[in-house]
């Protein structure tokens, strides 16, 4: 389901999507998250990637737990971000024991983890607040992901969210880095598929 755009500012869209995420039951969130993770696991971009950059979920985001467990089981390298000032660096993790509470009370890799040098065949799973079929993304306003993607624009990106986070159109700025595709529980979305 793609929502029409009745809200015109990033602030109002952030507020509406955050509220919808928090109102979702934990069972719904887990079920939809697993559907999303299964679609990633069967996607050729995932299967062909030599490494996956993802995130540690917070505040009702799509959970990547199922994907992490499957990736570790199948020896697929997984990396998650650590915030360093205004930037973030990804580090390889081999279990949840490699994490500690960091910036914004989100679990981050310990500094004993190995930093990642992103390769062209990596798959980058990007969290967000809202998306549109053109791949535009509204994040949390800190610009961490956009600054990272500016440096590594060659990465294949998939914006991760729930159906209620997908809009026909969202406001964006020139510096915002669009996603190659967006994935929700109903499938992959791009301008070609809408």
């Amino acid at each position: 389901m793609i929502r029409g755009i009745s809200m015109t500012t990033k602030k109002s869209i952030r507020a509406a999507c955050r509220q919808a995420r928090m109102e979702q039951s934990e069972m719904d969130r887990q079920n939809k998250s697993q559907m999303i993770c299964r679609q990633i696991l069967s996607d050729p971009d995932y299967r062909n990637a030599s490494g996956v950059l993802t995130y540690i979920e917070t505040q009702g985001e799509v959970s990547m737990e199922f994907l992490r467990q499957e990736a570790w089981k199948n020896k697929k390298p997984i990396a998650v971000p650590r915030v360093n000032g205004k930037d973030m660096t990804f580090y390889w993790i081999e279990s949840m024991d490699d994490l500690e509470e960091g910036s914004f009370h989100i679990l981050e890799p310990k500094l004993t983890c190995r930093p990642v040098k992103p390769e062209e065949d990596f798959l980058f799973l990007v969290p967000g607040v809202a998306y549109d079929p053109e791949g535009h993304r509204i994040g949390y306003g800190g610009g961490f992901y956009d600054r990272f993607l500016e440096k590594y624009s060659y990465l294949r990106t998939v914006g991760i969210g729930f159906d209620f986070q997908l809009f026909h159109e969202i406001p964006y700025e020139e510096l915002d880095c669009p996603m190659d595709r967006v994935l929700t529980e109903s499938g992959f979305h791009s301008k070609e598929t809408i």
Side-chain angles (χ1 to χ4, degrees):
M1 176 190 96
I2 298 185
R3 292 162 60 155
I5 180 109
S6 56
M7 295 167 277
T8 54
T9 67
K10 286 185 177 183
K11 187 177 178 184
S12 61
I13 292 171
R14 279 189 186 108
C17 287
R18 279 183 176 163
Q19 184 177 347
R21 262 196 342 218
M22 298 316 278
E23 287 174 353
Q24 189 171 218
S25 74
E26 184 57 21
M27 183 182 285
D28 269 358
R29 185 177 84 89
Q30 290 300 334
N31 287 341
K32 291 174 185 175
S33 294
Q34 194 167 113
M35 288 167 68
I36 290 166
C37 287
R38 286 184 187 283
Q39 291 178 81
I40 296 166
L41 291 165
S42 64
D43 186 62
D45 279 352
Y46 171 84
R47 290 198 307 267
N48 297 328
S50 66
V52 177
L53 306 182
T54 184
Y55 61 93
I56 301 296
E57 55 281 350
T58 185
Q59 299 177 19
E61 289 177 325
V62 173
S63 171
M64 292 284 105
E65 178 64 20
F66 184 76
L67 178 116
R68 287 192 298 269
Q69 296 301 331
E70 289 297 305
W72 288 328
K73 216 186 303 179
N74 296 300
K75 307 292 185 224
K76 177 79 76 175
I78 292 286
V80 296
R82 182 179 180 94
V83 170
N84 304 307
K86 291 195 171 234
D87 293 312
M88 59 183 192
T89 304
F90 280 76
Y91 293 83
W92 298 117
I93 60 169
E94 295 177 7
S95 78
M96 296 302 279
D97 293 336
D98 288 337
L99 304 174
E100 63 187 7
E101 189 173 313
S103 302
F104 312 107
H105 305 290
I106 297 171
L107 291 174
E108 296 182 332
K110 296 174 180 173
L111 287 173
T112 51
C113 295
R114 201 165 37 97
V116 170
K117 182 185 179 301
E119 301 289 338
E120 284 195 28
D121 69 341
F122 284 6
L123 180 62
F124 190 14
L125 306 174
V126 183
V129 176
Y131 303 93
D132 70 18
E134 300 282 319
H136 299 121
R137 169 186 168 273
I138 294 178
Y140 293 93
F144 294 101
Y145 282 89
D146 286 317
R147 281 191 293 276
F148 184 83
L149 279 167
E150 242 178 86
K151 287 187 215 165
Y152 304 105
S153 57
Y154 52 80
L155 289 169
R156 284 168 297 144
T157 55
V158 179
I160 304 294
F162 297 110
D163 279 346
F164 58 76
Q165 294 173 259
L166 194 59
F167 291 77
H168 278 294
E169 184 182 5
I170 57 174
Y172 64 93
E173 293 153 34
E174 221 172 283
L175 291 176
D176 294 343
C177 297
M179 304 288 98
D180 295 321
R181 296 183 292 165
V182 175
L183 176 61
T184 66
E185 66 269 26
S186 63
F188 284 97
H189 308 275
S190 66
K191 53 187 170 188
E192 289 79 30
T193 60
I194 298 301

